Amino acid sequence: MPPRHLVLWLPDWPVRAALGASSAHEPVTNKPVADEPVAIFHANTIIACSAAARAQGVRRGQRRRLAQSLSPALRLIPADPRRDERAFLPVLRLLEELVPGVQPLRPGLAALRARGAARYYGGEEQSALRLIAALAAHGHPDARAAVADGLFTAEQAARLAAPALVVDPGRSQEFLAPLPVQVLGDDDVTALLQRLGIRTLAEFAALAESDIRDRLGERGVRLHALASGADSRPLTPQHPEPELAREIVFESPLEQADQVAFAVRQTADAVTAALAELSQVCTEVRIDLTDDDGSITSRVWLHPTSFEASDLVDRVRWQLEGLRPVESDRESAGITEVRITPTRVDDSAHHQPGLFGQGPQQRLHHAVSRVQAMLGHRGVVSPVVIGGRRLTDRQLLQPWGDLAPPERDAALPWPGSLPPPYPSEVYTTPLPIRLAAADRTEPSVNDRGELSAPPAWIEETPVLSWAGPWPLRERAWDRDNARLAQRLQIVDESQRAWLVLWEADSWWAEGRYR
């Protein structure tokens, strides 16, 4: 039987975090969530909403336009998982003071072993009510708690609790039976089960495990175990991270990047020393620079392995150097404060060198870092694949150690983009190329995507085979900047494969396969 777990749930947490983040250092309270129609969206889809928004018909999973039509006064806020995590950290610290071993499952949801809390507070229900009361006293009056066998059952019970619910030992399957299969959280399996006429967890649990394994594999077997109340996910207690940020304030503003970098050396040492005491290393850091006008410039830096004190000093200097060209009209602005905040840490044991020295990856990183320190932040770049329709749009040369820009995700669908395999040679600027039909005239493609004549020659070499054309449309809504092109793939008798483009009444070579 799975061990007993206590799960605490704070409804609408992304909404709470977003409203609380609008005024720094103020506690996240329940009042604006209840009184104002607010929704959090991602990719034009509602992922969370307040009670006032739900009263007007707004629901999770709705498109943003539909939600706005149901609630004209709806306040829409973009999703920010890091904001949710930062706002949830004080809640975890509060719970840790009452019961050790609290594990954050996700922002707004935490779990712990029920046995220790029940023994200390005199019972499972008493411990749940005690934690709910503590949260209510700190600005979270509608928190819910549940105790059950296993994390999955306890989480589902917490969503139905008002305010606390205890599922008796051995009764998990009975409790889960009427719940819909959507609570399993797997859209693909849920869609298949619904097509088969299976709507509840009881109907899913009644199926034979051998049939589930044959059709859905081990993934389906695990979901079948959850529906049956046999939750085997281990709970690893995780303590909230301590305050690791360090800052330095200058009595008089410093204007030179080298002056600031020299002054923050001891601060960088203090950050790495605090991490070393916890046997941790920093893999991502946020640096905040405050100038004499009170403006704060922040940037998040990522390290391929882990930051050392010298790496932090380099990032401060690079960040300052990047500001100067932008603020040429404010050359007199000086820096009054530098704050270094580790935002992602890891166990230092994962970053220790091997017994017989460092591997090639570590040696490469140290060599590249030394070159970057000499040439500057953009002196060493690495290629990154991003989203885009044209091959050149999918390439980005990014400074070594930077985070990839999230605004053009390569995993998103890009209609008109080329499917793999991609050309091994991509021309940064498309090259003019000669394409001819059998009668030596240049073929063309009309607006309907029709080829005037099959290509017979490419660069004076006979064409062996070809495919296409495929349309490539961009910015069709913008008359002045709209672009329309047609792609063809051509193989010549020399076994060279080309990706060619018909655009602006001319043929261009976009790439070549080798």
Side-chain angles (χ1 to χ4, degrees), residues 9-46:
W9 179 48
L10 280 72
D12 307 324
W13 183 257
V15 179
R16 299 168 178 271
L19 295 176
S22 61
S23 53
H25 307 299
E26 291 187 5
V28 181
T29 61
N30 184 59
K31 185 176 184 301
V33 180
D35 296 346
E36 183 182 0
V38 180
I40 308 297
F41 72 94
H42 175 69
N44 285 327
T45 302
I46 304 299

Side-chain angles (χ1 to χ4, degrees), residues 251-507:
E251 295 182 0
S252 58
L254 300 180
E255 299 180 5
Q256 300 296 326
D258 291 338
Q259 293 177 338
V260 178
F262 180 79
V264 299
R265 289 184 182 276
Q266 290 186 350
T267 306
D269 289 335
V271 172
T272 55
L275 289 166
E277 291 180 359
L278 301 172
S279 298
Q280 293 179 335
V281 293
C282 177
T283 59
E284 183 182 284
V285 67
R286 187 181 75 250
I287 297 177
D288 303 320
L289 304 177
T290 305
D291 62 20
D292 52 4
D293 290 338
S295 300
I296 300 177
T297 303
S298 299
R299 181 167 183 177
V300 175
W301 298 87
L302 182 68
H303 202 284
T305 55
S306 61
F307 281 103
E308 298 179 358
S310 59
D311 299 322
L312 296 175
V313 174
D314 286 339
R315 268 56 176 186
V316 172
R317 186 174 64 252
W318 295 341
Q319 186 166 332
L320 284 167
E321 292 173 350
L323 289 177
R324 296 310 178 193
V326 179
E327 300 182 353
S328 57
D329 58 331
R330 297 181 55 202
E331 293 182 356
S332 60
I335 301 301
T336 59
E337 181 180 343
V338 177
R339 182 177 178 86
I340 303 175
T341 306
T343 55
R344 184 176 298 173
V345 297
D346 193 11
D347 193 329
S348 59
H350 300 160
H351 299 265
Q352 294 293 334
L355 180 61
F356 298 101
Q358 299 177 329
Q361 292 295 333
Q362 287 79 10
R363 292 196 297 269
L364 171 64
H365 160 65
H366 286 301
V368 171
S369 296
R370 286 197 299 269
V371 175
Q372 190 179 36
M374 293 185 291
L375 300 181
H377 176 48
R378 299 197 63 86
V380 180
V381 295
S382 57
V384 178
V385 177
I386 59 176
R389 294 176 177 85
R390 298 174 183 259
L391 294 180
T392 53
D393 294 340
R394 292 172 51 85
Q395 301 178 93
L396 175 68
L397 293 179
Q398 183 170 283
W400 178 263
D402 268 15
L403 284 170
E407 62 272 9
R408 291 171 58 185
D409 188 357
L412 297 178
W414 292 90
S417 61
L418 186 72
Y422 303 109
S424 56
E425 182 179 2
V426 177
Y427 304 118
T428 304
T429 302
L431 303 177
I433 192 169
R434 294 187 301 274
L435 201 65
D439 58 359
R440 292 292 181 172
T441 62
E442 183 181 64
S444 62
V445 184
N446 60 23
D447 293 339
R448 298 173 60 88
E450 297 172 341
L451 195 62
S452 63
W457 304 85
I458 181 169
E459 291 292 301
E460 303 302 329
T461 304
V463 171
L464 186 63
S465 61
W466 60 277
W470 301 288
L472 177 60
R473 294 184 176 89
E474 295 180 294
R475 303 182 183 91
W477 61 89
D478 188 348
R479 178 178 300 178
D480 297 332
N481 297 312
R483 299 178 67 183
L484 173 62
Q486 301 286 342
R487 274 188 173 131
L488 272 80
Q489 288 177 323
I490 298 176
V491 180
D492 60 25
E493 285 190 350
S494 301
Q495 298 299 319
R496 294 179 301 178
W498 299 83
L499 180 66
V500 299
L501 200 68
W502 170 260
E503 186 176 22
D505 296 332
S506 299
W507 288 104

Side-chain angles (χ1 to χ4, degrees), residues 47-214:
I47 62 173
C49 57
S50 65
R54 285 193 295 272
Q56 298 179 8
V58 180
R59 296 291 185 271
R60 290 180 56 190
Q62 286 180 344
R63 302 298 292 175
R64 182 172 66 171
R65 181 174 297 180
L66 175 59
Q68 288 177 307
S69 66
L70 296 172
S71 177
L74 183 66
R75 178 181 172 188
L76 290 169
I77 303 176
D80 187 349
R82 292 186 180 178
R83 176 187 62 207
D84 301 342
E85 294 173 0
R86 289 194 301 267
F88 195 50
L89 187 57
V91 177
L92 296 175
R93 289 173 177 163
L94 170 64
L95 295 175
E96 278 285 345
E97 294 177 358
L98 301 173
V99 181
V102 177
Q103 178 194 9
L105 302 180
R106 56 182 172 272
L109 189 70
L112 63 144
R113 299 280 187 178
R115 180 180 179 183
R119 294 178 63 182
Y120 185 80
Y121 291 107
E124 293 178 340
E125 184 175 4
Q126 289 81 353
S127 61
L129 293 174
R130 176 67 181 84
L131 296 178
I132 290 175
L135 291 173
H138 287 77
H140 307 285
D142 58 349
R144 302 178 185 180
V147 182
D149 297 336
L151 280 175
F152 177 75
T153 306
E155 179 181 346
Q156 304 310 316
R159 297 184 180 277
L160 301 175
L165 176 62
V166 176
V167 180
D168 295 333
R171 306 290 294 273
S172 295
Q173 184 172 2
E174 180 181 346
F175 169 78
L176 295 171
L179 299 182
V181 292
Q182 285 85 349
V183 302
L184 294 173
D186 192 311
D187 295 337
D188 295 336
V189 173
T190 297
L192 175 61
L193 294 177
Q194 289 181 316
R195 290 197 297 270
L196 296 175
I198 300 172
R199 308 292 179 183
T200 64
L201 295 184
E203 297 172 345
F204 185 36
L207 300 177
E209 182 178 329
S210 58
D211 294 338
I212 298 296
R213 179 175 281 104
D214 292 340

